């Protein structure tokens, strides 16, 4: 388990980026410390640390009983140099983040398009096409296609996918400032407008494969174009130790350390503990995670509050998965299904990226998968093999956070009795082994299709088991309606 960057550092970098891009001008006032605290879900101490560091580096001036005022002038030559240096340190992450869009945007945009009324879909396409035709620079063409895609992803109802897409675009703010504006080539704007209109036509005609293929081509083309622009503008490299990674924080809030520990403890319990068995001692957990006693107690208290553990004075904490149907668990289940849906949408692309590194281990992985043949956990185990093998750091970081979020939903499934479960486990085991044997023989598409199939199967199985629980219990029906 890796610790996130300190919250005050994240706040510091966000303010600096907004100064460098001109979002904040000299003389502007930032939000109050209380509002910043609410925005990022952090303590006032984290906000004050960030503000002191910003003042120390010459970006703001602190005034008693007033919001901080920006003193840096983004038009000053020294800030132009700093802007370029900052961009150099982000350029690889910039490209990695954009390459990630082709993995999940097409499928979720399709889902969003199917939820649109005909008039709404046509209206979105017309607005994007008009924006493309009026674009004075090639970045405007990029924005037009992205605006259309993001609008559809938002209509899919998957909040995590929309948030990830939005933050990838936010990471692009600096690029739009420093990259030289290029006039579109002849008919390039008309081509971009035609592509958007064609996407809308395919969605309206129900042609899913063609829609997803065309949108994936657009995403890859935009990423390639961005890579070329960055290469022309900044062929030199920043020092490796100063490279900045793209880190996605859902709702722009890093996961608190105690909740990260809670995620990991629940994952451990799912794999290693039967209901009624005890977690390791508090001292052991402090040593295992390198955290304080307060952090461990907060993690265990989180599991207790969700009905997933019971703590006894002098005896320790017992794994006891009997979740309560309350608002908090409903929110976590929404995150679980959004995460599963996003992972399923990207599964084929993730497998394709990971295949070169996994191929030498394909036969061994097939043998290891047998341990999950008759119990749950095979899909999450496969995901644990795929994600570290993906060479794109932005993808590993982002989809690793989704992996964290699925654990609370997994805790619910043992409470639902289903006679079809053994058949489900056997089916996905056989499908995975077929894919791994294909990969061992060099058939990468077979492995990609297999991983995508078991991802979709796991998602639909989870939905079905939750519906079964709701039929058994009135109190869970409200949870199902909320997600």
């Amino acid at each position: 388990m890796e610790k996130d960057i300190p919250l005050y550092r994240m706040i510091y970098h966000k303010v600096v980026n907004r100064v460098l891009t001109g979002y904040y001008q000299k003389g502007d006032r930032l939000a109050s410390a209380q509002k910043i605290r609410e925005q990022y879900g952090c303590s006032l101490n984290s906000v004050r640390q960030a503000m002191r560091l910003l003042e120390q580096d010459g970006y703001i001036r602190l005034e008693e009983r007033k919001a901080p005022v920006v003193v840096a002038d983004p038009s000053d030559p020294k800030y132009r140099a700093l802007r370029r240096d900052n961009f150099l340190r982000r350029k690889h992450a910039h490209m990695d983040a954009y390459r990630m869009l082709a993995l999940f945007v097409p499928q979720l945009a399709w889902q969003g398009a199917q939820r649109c009324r005909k008039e709404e879909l046509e209206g979105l396409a017309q607005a994007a096409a008009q924006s493309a035709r009026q674009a004075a620079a090639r970045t405007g063409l990029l924005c037009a296609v992205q605006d259309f895609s993001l609008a559809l992803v938002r209509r899919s109802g998957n909040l995590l996918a929309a948030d990830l897409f939005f933050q990838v675009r936010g990471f692009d703010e600096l690029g739009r400032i420093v990259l030289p504006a290029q006039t579109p080539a002849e008919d390039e704007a008309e081509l971009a407008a035609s592509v958007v209109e064609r996407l809308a036509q395919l969605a309206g005609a129900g042609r899913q494969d063609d829609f997803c293929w065309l949108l994936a081509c657009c995403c890859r083309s935009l990423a390639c174009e961005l890579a070329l622009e960055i290469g022309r503008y900044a062929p030199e490299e920043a020092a490796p130790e100063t490279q900045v990674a793209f880190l996605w924080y859902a709702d722009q809030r890093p996961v608190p350390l105690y909740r990260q520990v809670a995620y990991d403890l629940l994952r451990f319990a799912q794999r290693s503990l039967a209901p009624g068995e005890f977690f390791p001692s508090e001292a052991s957990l402090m040593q295992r995670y390198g955290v304080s006693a307060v952090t461990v107690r907060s993690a265990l208290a989180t599991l207790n509050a969700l009905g997933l553990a019971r703590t006894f004075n002098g005896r320790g904490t017992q794994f006891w998965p009997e979740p309560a149907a309350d608002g908090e668990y409903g929110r976590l289940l929404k995150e679980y299904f959004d995460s599963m849906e996003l992972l399923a949408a990207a599964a084929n692309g993730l497998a394709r990226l990971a295949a070169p590194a996994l191929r030498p281990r394909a036969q061994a992985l097939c043998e290891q998968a047998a341990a999950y043949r008759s119990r749950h956990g095979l899909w999450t185990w496969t995901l644990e093999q795929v994600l570290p093998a993906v060479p794109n750091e932005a993808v590993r970081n982002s989809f690793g956070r989704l992996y964290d979020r699925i654990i609370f939903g997994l805790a619910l499934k043992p409470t639902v009795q289903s006679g079809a479960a053994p058949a489900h486990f056997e089916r996905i085991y056989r499908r995975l082994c077929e894919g791994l044997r294909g990969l061992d023989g060099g058939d990468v598409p077979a492995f990609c299709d297999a991983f995508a199939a078991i991802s979709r199967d796991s998602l639909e199985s989870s939905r079905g088991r939750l519906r079964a629980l709701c039929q058994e219990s009135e109190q869970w029906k409200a949870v199902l309606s909320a997600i």
Side-chain angles (χ1 to χ4, degrees), residues 81-99:
L82 184 59
R83 195 156 48 224
R84 180 180 173 84
D85 178 66
N86 199 16
F87 180 76
L88 280 175
R89 293 188 293 110
R90 294 156 53 105
K91 73 175 194 175
H92 291 294
H94 200 129
M95 290 184 285
D96 278 354
Y98 262 90
R99 290 179 181 125

Side-chain angles (χ1 to χ4, degrees), residues 8-13 15-16 46-60 62:
Y8 79 90
R9 277 281 176 189
M10 190 193 83
I11 297 169
Y12 169 87
H13 287 306
V15 174
V16 168
S46 293
V47 177
R48 290 173 184 137
Q49 279 184 282
M51 295 302 111
R52 285 195 294 268
L53 188 56
L54 286 164
E55 183 178 47
Q56 176 184 313
D57 289 350
Y59 290 101
I60 65 171
L62 297 177

Side-chain angles (χ1 to χ4, degrees), residues 11 46 52 84 108 114 116 137 237 264 311 315 343 350 362 382 411 432 437 447 460-461 466 469:
I11 297 169
S46 293
R52 285 195 294 268
R84 180 180 173 84
L108 289 166
Q114 299 313 294
C116 290
E237 296 289 334
D264 205 63
T311 296
R315 293 178 57 195
L343 284 162
L350 290 172
T382 308
L432 175 63
R437 284 193 288 269
F447 172 66
E460 291 309 314
S461 174
L466 179 60
L469 177 64

Side-chain angles (χ1 to χ4, degrees), residues 18 71 163 296 360 371:
R18 289 189 167 190
V71 296
D163 191 68
V296 170

Side-chain angles (χ1 to χ4, degrees), residues 17-238:
N17 193 59
R18 289 189 167 190
V19 170
L20 294 179
T21 58
Y23 181 89
Y24 290 138
Q25 294 291 321
K26 185 176 181 179
D28 288 350
R29 288 195 181 274
L30 305 183
S32 67
Q34 182 62 29
K35 287 185 178 179
I36 295 174
R37 183 195 73 78
E38 292 171 359
Q39 180 183 355
Y40 294 107
C42 60
S43 67
L44 281 173
N45 186 53
S46 293
V47 177
R48 290 173 184 137
Q49 279 184 282
M51 295 302 111
R52 285 195 294 268
L53 188 56
L54 286 164
E55 183 178 47
Q56 176 184 313
D57 289 350
Y59 290 101
I60 65 171
R61 182 176 67 248
L62 297 177
E63 298 179 353
E64 190 173 354
R65 297 183 180 179
K66 290 184 179 180
V69 62
V70 175
V71 296
D73 183 354
S75 64
D76 189 297
K78 74 173 182 179
Y79 289 107
R80 287 200 294 270
L82 184 59
R83 195 156 48 224
R84 180 180 173 84
D85 178 66
N86 199 16
F87 180 76
L88 280 175
R89 293 188 293 110
R90 294 156 53 105
K91 73 175 194 175
H92 291 294
H94 200 129
M95 290 184 285
D96 278 354
Y98 262 90
R99 290 179 181 125
M100 177 167 55
L101 295 179
L103 296 181
F104 71 91
V105 167
Q107 287 291 338
L108 289 166
W110 169 260
Q111 291 181 30
Q114 299 313 294
R115 294 188 177 189
C116 290
R117 301 186 310 275
K118 179 181 178 182
E119 299 78 11
E120 184 183 13
L121 182 61
E122 290 176 349
L124 291 173
Q126 288 172 5
Q130 183 178 4
S131 176
R133 292 187 174 104
Q134 294 175 346
R138 301 185 80 178
T139 53
L141 306 182
L142 176 100
C143 289
V145 177
Q146 285 187 332
D147 286 344
F148 179 67
S149 303
L150 179 55
L152 294 182
V153 171
R154 282 177 168 155
R155 281 160 177 76
S156 74
N158 191 309
L159 302 181
L160 291 176
D163 191 68
L164 175 55
F165 194 168
F166 180 76
Q167 289 191 47
V168 168
R169 292 194 65 182
F171 199 72
D172 190 35
E173 286 178 355
L174 193 60
R176 297 182 189 214
I177 298 296
V178 302
L179 291 177
Q182 294 188 30
T183 303
E186 185 178 0
D187 295 331
E188 192 172 10
E190 185 60 38
L191 176 61
S194 299
V195 167
V196 171
E197 292 168 343
R198 182 57 177 160
L199 285 168
Q201 292 168 3
L202 293 171
R207 294 169 59 180
Q208 180 177 358
D209 290 344
D210 292 337
F211 174 92
C212 291
W213 176 83
L214 180 56
L215 187 50
C217 287
C218 289
C219 291
R220 294 189 188 105
S221 177
L222 293 173
C224 290
E225 182 63 31
L226 177 65
L228 289 172
E229 287 186 26
I230 290 175
R232 286 192 292 265
Y233 171 71
E236 68 272 31
E237 296 289 334

